[in-house]
Amino acid sequence: LQRQLISESRKASNGIATNIEVMKEAGSFLAELCSSLANEVVDYRKNNDFSELGLDMNTSERVDGSTIIVIGWSKQSEITVPNSVFNNLRSRYHGSPDLFLSAVYNVTKRYQTMQMILSNTGLDCRLSPSTLK
């Protein structure tokens, strides 16, 4: 937009001044629109509870040879994480304590999604189990 304004201002010196006025008005409108959308995002965050309690995150333990932590979201979806991995993640997590479960849930879902997308492609790079230990 700024480059276009510079270009139009050069043309304006040749007598074409209407386009630069349109560009200035468009720039002002765009700035107001961005500001209004930013205010809507702030209002949305104020009016909604994004804590784990508000998101209905819960955990449970399952013993299936070894202990597995089950993290559920609104009784719609759940992920499983080995207890050792869960404890390692907890010790490394430095964010808000009331967002830990949702952070683990999101990271796991993203990892699973990337695995599905990249599986059997040239981008399918995985670490060996011995490296992960």
Side-chain angles (χ1 to χ4, degrees):
L1 190 59
Q2 189 175 18
R3 287 183 192 155
Q4 186 66 30
L5 281 173
I6 291 169
S7 171
E8 292 298 326
S9 66
R10 288 182 183 149
K11 290 179 187 176
S13 65
N14 296 334
I16 305 172
T18 56
N19 284 341
I20 194 164
E21 293 302 319
V22 170
M23 293 300 293
K24 285 180 182 178
E25 288 178 25
S28 296
F29 175 76
L30 186 60
E32 288 176 24
L33 179 64
C34 289
S35 178
S36 129
L37 290 173
N39 287 335
E40 285 182 32
V41 169
V42 168
D43 289 342
Y44 183 79
R45 286 185 175 175
K46 283 181 186 175
N47 296 329
N48 291 288
D49 183 10
F50 291 107
S51 69
E52 290 178 349
L53 183 61
L55 295 173
D56 196 19
M57 300 295 292
N58 56 64
T59 60
S60 60
E61 281 188 8
R62 246 188 243 162
V63 179
D64 187 21
S66 62
T67 305
I68 296 173
I69 305 297
V70 179
I71 301 174
W73 173 57
S74 296
K75 298 178 184 163
Q76 296 177 4
S77 177
E78 62 182 34
I79 58 147
T80 57
V81 181
N83 190 37
S84 60
V85 172
F86 184 81
N87 289 331
N88 284 338
L89 289 171
R90 185 189 316 233
S91 67
R92 295 177 183 174
Y93 181 72
H94 294 288
S96 175
D98 66 336
L99 296 177
F100 172 69
L101 293 178
S102 54
V104 172
Y105 181 88
N106 285 321
V107 166
T108 304
K109 282 295 186 185
R110 286 181 184 177
Y111 180 76
Q112 290 172 347
T113 302
M114 289 301 292
Q115 269 186 323
M116 288 188 314
I117 293 170
L118 300 178
S119 180
N120 299 322
T121 69
L123 299 172
D124 190 6
C125 301
R126 298 182 193 198
L127 297 173
S128 67
S130 61
T131 304
L132 296 173
K133 290 180 181 184

